[in-house]
Amino acid sequence: AQSVTQLDSQVPVFEEAPVELRCNYSSSVSVYLFWYVQYPNQGLQLLLKYLSGSTLVKGINGFEAEFNKSQTSFHLRKPSVHISDTAEYFCAVSDPNNAGNMLTFGGGTRLMVKP
Amino acid sequence: EPEVTQTPSHQVTQMGQEVILRCVPISNHLYFYWYRQILGQKVEFLVSFYNNEISEKSEIFDDQFSVERPDGSNFTLKIRSTKLEDSAMYFCASSRTPNYGYTFGSGTRLTVV
């Protein structure tokens, strides 16, 4: 069974500061990894994904994440955040060999960007 | 940009009543999903659907739940006899290919009273 742990439930940060949102996963098989963002009263929007290849993945809105297989981590980073990045961020994992293609989500991290 | 549309955005129902949550996936997508998020908890997988049948379902998706793609455009989730613990945000999603990355709808907030 797969599981995802997002170590921080809330991350407050000042505008224009860098941020890292942490994600660790456990799985006995190879994985695909995703980060989703949820703005207030909206659905989940895909930020970026790792399927294979380069371990550094760039996504929308200036976010990037690095897949570290030895540490089973997929941390999300942004060098300079904006007020508009305030949202809930979810890390998720799937099994490439799973026919149902289900995602297992972490508990989410609320990013709060302060002026 | 294509969207997954969910209706209604909020539904209040009495315990024991049947509810149908509706979703219109992106038109060229082939894989469809339902997830739910109980307030303050993780987003949880319910069911995946491909080629007019269920591909996988979770333990949550018991006999009270069913899904249907009645007309080639809508994708519905039915809860036969709602319980208080069914209160949650329900998300529909679709994808063109497996693991391509889902597109989620904005959700239906179901409140069972």
Side-chain angles (χ1 to χ4, degrees), chain A residues 4 32 36 38 43-44 49 51 90 94 96 98 100-103 105-107, chain B residues 33 35 37 42-43 45 48 55-56 91 95 98-102 104-106:
Chain A
V4 179
Y32 290 156
Y36 284 85
Q38 185 179 30
L44 297 158
K49 62 189 176 191
L51 304 183
F90 293 93
S94 72
N98 180 276
N101 193 29
M102 61 174 279
L103 289 174
F105 282 86
Chain B
Y33 315 88
Y35 284 76
Q37 185 181 28
K42 291 186 178 186
V43 178
F45 171 77
S48 59
S55 309
E56 187 168 9
F91 292 106
S95 66
N99 299 309
Y100 188 81
Y102 300 179
F104 281 87
S106 297

Side-chain angles (χ1 to χ4, degrees), chain B residues 6-32:
Chain B
Q6 289 187 245
T7 55
S9 56
H10 191 187
Q11 175 136 12
V12 181
T13 189
Q14 291 207 323
M15 193 168 52
Q17 295 295 305
E18 175 184 285
V19 293
I20 297 176
L21 308 184
R22 301 182 192 280
C23 170
V24 179
I26 293 173
S27 60
N28 64 348
H29 284 190
L30 302 174
Y31 298 81
F32 314 108

Side-chain angles (χ1 to χ4, degrees), chain A:
Chain A
Q2 299 172 321
S3 67
V4 179
T5 302
Q6 291 183 242
L7 297 163
D8 306 298
S9 59
Q10 294 187 66
V11 173
V13 63
F14 285 106
E15 194 174 18
E16 296 183 9
V19 71
E20 178 179 83
L21 306 184
R22 296 180 292 170
C23 172
N24 286 89
Y25 68 92
S26 66
S27 176
S28 58
V29 297
S30 60
V31 294
Y32 290 156
L33 293 153
F34 305 84
W35 274 98
Y36 284 85
V37 60
Q38 185 179 30
Y39 299 103
N41 300 316
Q42 295 188 28
L44 297 158
Q45 181 182 4
L46 181 66
L47 268 182
L48 50 77
K49 62 189 176 191
Y50 171 80
L51 304 183
S52 65
S54 172
T55 56
L56 183 63
V57 180
K58 293 192 184 296
I60 62 171
N61 301 341
F63 284 94
E64 64 181 32
E66 185 152 22
F67 170 54
N68 188 319
K69 188 174 182 179
S70 62
Q71 298 190 2
T72 60
S73 67
F74 191 55
H75 300 332
L76 181 71
R77 301 186 186 101
K78 186 169 182 177
S80 175
V81 294
H82 302 289
I83 296 285
S84 58
D85 292 323
T86 295
E88 187 96 19
Y89 291 79
F90 293 93
C91 182
V93 63
S94 72
D95 175 358
N97 299 311
N98 180 276
N101 193 29
M102 61 174 279
L103 289 174
T104 300
F105 282 86
T109 297
R110 184 171 300 278
L111 177 63
M112 300 175 293
V113 182
K114 300 181 283 187

